Amino acid sequence: MCQLGGTQLILSLQSAIHHRRAFQHLDLIDSNYKYCPSKVEWEKIEQFCSFLKVFYDSTLMFSGTNYPTANLYFPAVYLCYIELKKQIEGDNEHLKVMASKMWLKFEKYWSEFCATLAIACVLDPRYKMTFINFVYTKIYGECSLEFHRFNTKLQSLFDVYKSSHSLQPSSSNALSNDLNNVRNDDTFDTMEAFKEFDEMSSNEFRCNSLKCQLELYLDEPKMPRHVKLDILDFWKSNQFRYPNLASMARDILSIPVSTVASEASFSVGGRVLDQYRSSLKPENAEAIICLRDWICAGLEGYIIFDIFTDIYL
């Protein structure tokens, strides 16, 4: 079992835990069964499986192909950080030794991780800068130099997009133009009570107009973290409110965290052209590979699959 990969190992352990009572029953009825784990060993297996599950879930998340992964990197890696620290400082000697060895490699990735992937987390309306500040405070303390450096990088990157894209009229400017076209109501203009309100509104508008798109976005309330969100659709629907920020989000969120998905795309041909189907025409092989992706993408693929199988196969 030690020779198995990490994914196969945790799946094997989860399966063994699920069939724990079956192993115990086999130990009672079969005298030749000599290797049933003891109660202490089952507890160790459960602890070991719980420890590895954090990394297993992160691996599955990073290997996704039907959604962007850049915005998920920082929260998932932070969970791995917390789990390793927990086990290193814990009382379980077996997990402490394992976590200490894992930390030697993890520390390198944590200390040298690209700030762009943390910026992608800021562009997720469920996390924003609040989560980055929370993590950096937990790890480095209040008002840390690391958080200041990150904030500077975020602002510098936004300034690049701000200077490279032509400014588009914001919703606040459009609102101002609409207000200028509205006919003044003489009844309310003559009332002294409304003059104070007009001055207050004018000052509020002036303060908001001085804020950049990044500040306006960060000042808005966060979405609940458990909301199922299509982040690309979110920025598409907000591209007119934050044109420069939406352009930045489009480029950053397109960064894949893992190369597993792209490598699997290149190796899919070996599962189509096997020893039993080695004489397919190029267009037929292309159709099979494309249909496989369409089927995985949703129910519409089944309809397309029926049409193409009638034509090509």
Side-chain angles (χ1 to χ4, degrees), residues 58-294:
S58 299
T59 301
L60 292 181
M61 186 185 302
F62 292 161
S63 303
T65 58
N66 296 328
Y67 54 86
T69 56
N71 60 307
L72 305 175
Y73 172 84
F74 194 80
V77 172
Y78 172 67
L79 288 179
C80 296
Y81 179 97
I82 293 298
E83 185 64 25
L84 286 174
K85 282 292 187 180
K86 174 184 174 183
Q87 298 303 333
I88 291 175
E89 299 171 358
D91 299 329
N92 192 314
E93 292 298 328
H94 296 283
L95 293 181
K96 181 182 293 186
V97 173
M98 181 183 299
S100 299
K101 293 180 179 179
M102 295 172 65
W103 177 256
L104 295 177
K105 291 186 176 180
F106 180 84
E107 187 178 18
K108 174 184 176 182
Y109 291 103
W110 176 260
S111 60
E112 299 180 0
F113 83 94
C114 183
T116 305
L117 295 174
I119 293 175
C121 181
V122 175
L123 295 173
D124 191 327
R126 297 167 296 184
Y127 294 99
K128 294 190 175 184
M129 186 66 83
T130 307
F131 183 75
I132 304 297
N133 188 22
F134 168 78
V135 172
Y136 274 71
T137 301
K138 285 285 188 180
I139 298 174
Y140 303 112
E142 293 282 350
C143 303
S144 62
L145 180 60
E146 288 79 6
F147 180 74
H148 175 72
R149 289 173 179 172
F150 171 78
N151 198 15
T152 303
K153 291 180 181 179
L154 173 62
Q155 189 63 52
S156 299
L157 180 61
F158 176 73
D159 290 340
V160 172
Y161 279 86
K162 184 178 179 181
S163 60
S164 61
H165 293 78
S166 59
L167 295 177
Q168 300 180 13
S170 62
S171 58
S172 59
N173 291 335
L175 177 61
S176 177
N177 294 333
D178 292 340
L179 291 175
N180 291 332
N181 295 328
V182 174
R183 180 181 61 83
N184 291 329
D185 196 323
D186 296 333
T187 303
F188 292 110
D189 280 350
T190 58
M191 293 184 180
E192 187 70 22
F194 282 90
K195 290 184 178 180
E196 183 180 356
F197 171 75
D198 294 336
E199 293 177 358
M200 182 185 67
S201 300
S202 178
N203 293 332
E204 182 180 356
F205 173 77
R206 189 179 299 109
C207 292
N208 289 334
S209 63
L210 295 177
K211 290 186 177 181
C212 66
Q213 296 175 22
L214 179 60
E215 292 174 331
L216 291 174
Y217 163 71
L218 294 177
D219 286 344
E220 288 186 348
K222 295 189 292 79
M223 290 185 177
R225 188 173 58 85
H226 298 289
V227 169
K228 188 175 181 181
L229 175 69
D230 186 338
I231 190 170
L232 296 180
D233 185 62
F234 169 84
W235 282 109
K236 182 179 179 181
S237 61
N238 286 275
Q239 61 181 326
F240 298 108
R241 296 179 62 200
Y242 312 115
N244 300 334
L245 198 58
S247 180
M248 187 173 103
R250 178 194 61 197
D251 293 340
I252 291 180
L253 294 175
S254 63
I255 301 174
V257 173
S258 174
T259 60
V260 173
S262 59
E263 291 173 355
S265 299
F266 287 105
S267 62
V268 70
R271 297 194 292 271
V272 175
L273 297 175
D274 54 19
Q275 59 179 338
Y276 302 105
R277 293 189 299 180
S278 58
S279 301
L280 290 175
K281 295 181 179 180
E283 57 269 20
N284 291 352
E286 180 182 0
I288 293 175
I289 294 175
C290 291
L291 290 173
R292 177 182 176 276
D293 291 339
W294 294 341

